[in-house]
Amino acid sequence: MSVEAMVDDGKVRCGWSQSSQLYRDYHDSEWGRPLHGDDALFERMCLEAFQSGLSWITILRKRPAFRTAFAGFAIDRVAEFGDDDVERLLADPGIVRNRAKILACVANARVARELSPGLDELLWSFAPPARPRPRALSDVPAVTPESVALARELKKRGFRFVGPTTAYALMQATGMVDDHLADCWVDLRH
């Protein structure tokens, strides 16, 4: 058997998804599946930024509280957040209370609100051509030329907390790239 492991349902999954049911559910139903919509992509961009320096399981556990605290990640609503909202968020134990990341999320909403034609089109314009799925976790890059270019463009437009590694994680999570391992049961190629 490869780096992936079998679970009780007999499906082979990417090895990283084996440590909790929350990871397994995220892997099976969300991670790597093409995601569109400005607000949906904005949520993922914010959550990837909040994850920086933390484990993804921490963010998954707190995601319901994040969604409540950040008005469902509706760009127009978050863009209107002011100082009182920032203080409210800093006092919310259900989310990651990092001032720089909270301020970045609000600032990013303001930038995203002004994008024409929109965040979805901008992000997906950096999606690379399809490539073979990786055979092992060690074959999965942390950064690619496309994620470097995406991060550069986002920063140029005023986005924060969007370095090349975060940009690549966003590309993986939203299906811009398919980094499910070759033996994984999830098959996104249609």
Side-chain angles (χ1 to χ4, degrees), residues 8-184:
D8 56 9
D9 64 3
K11 294 179 180 176
V12 177
R13 291 177 171 82
C14 301
W16 63 263
S17 70
Q18 300 304 308
S19 63
S20 78
Q21 187 64 46
L22 193 56
Y23 265 154
R24 187 173 303 131
D25 292 344
Y26 175 68
H27 169 272
D28 289 359
S29 64
E30 291 184 64
W31 189 76
R33 295 184 186 276
L35 180 69
H36 288 280
D38 289 354
D39 290 344
L41 287 164
F42 175 68
E43 174 184 0
R44 296 294 182 87
M45 178 186 281
C46 288
L47 294 178
E48 292 294 346
F50 274 104
Q51 185 272 329
S52 182
L54 302 171
S55 68
W56 185 243
I57 195 73
T58 299
I59 302 306
L60 284 178
R61 287 180 181 138
K62 292 179 176 280
R63 186 162 60 167
F66 270 114
R67 285 177 170 163
T68 299
F70 281 93
F73 290 98
I75 292 170
D76 289 338
R77 291 189 61 198
V78 177
E80 296 299 321
F81 281 14
D83 293 341
D84 289 345
D85 294 295
V86 171
E87 293 308 313
R88 171 183 58 80
L89 293 166
L90 285 169
D92 187 338
I95 68 168
V96 174
R97 296 177 287 177
N98 178 300
R99 181 178 293 275
K101 292 177 182 180
I102 291 169
L103 291 173
C105 186
V106 174
N108 289 349
R110 292 174 182 155
V111 174
R113 179 175 59 182
E114 301 305 318
L115 283 178
S116 178
L119 186 61
D120 187 307
E121 188 166 321
L122 173 64
L123 294 177
W124 276 90
S125 72
F126 287 88
R131 63 174 194 253
R133 293 170 78 170
R135 301 281 325 148
L137 283 176
S138 60
D139 297 331
V140 178
V143 172
T144 63
E146 294 86 3
S147 75
V148 171
L150 174 57
R152 186 178 303 123
E153 181 64 22
L154 290 171
K155 285 181 182 181
K156 182 175 101 177
R157 290 176 182 254
F159 286 94
R160 303 182 199 169
F161 269 94
V162 288
T165 302
T166 299
Y168 191 67
L170 177 66
M171 294 171 94
Q172 290 174 302
T174 60
M176 292 178 215
V177 296
D178 180 4
D179 277 344
H180 282 278
L181 299 183
D183 294 340
C184 180

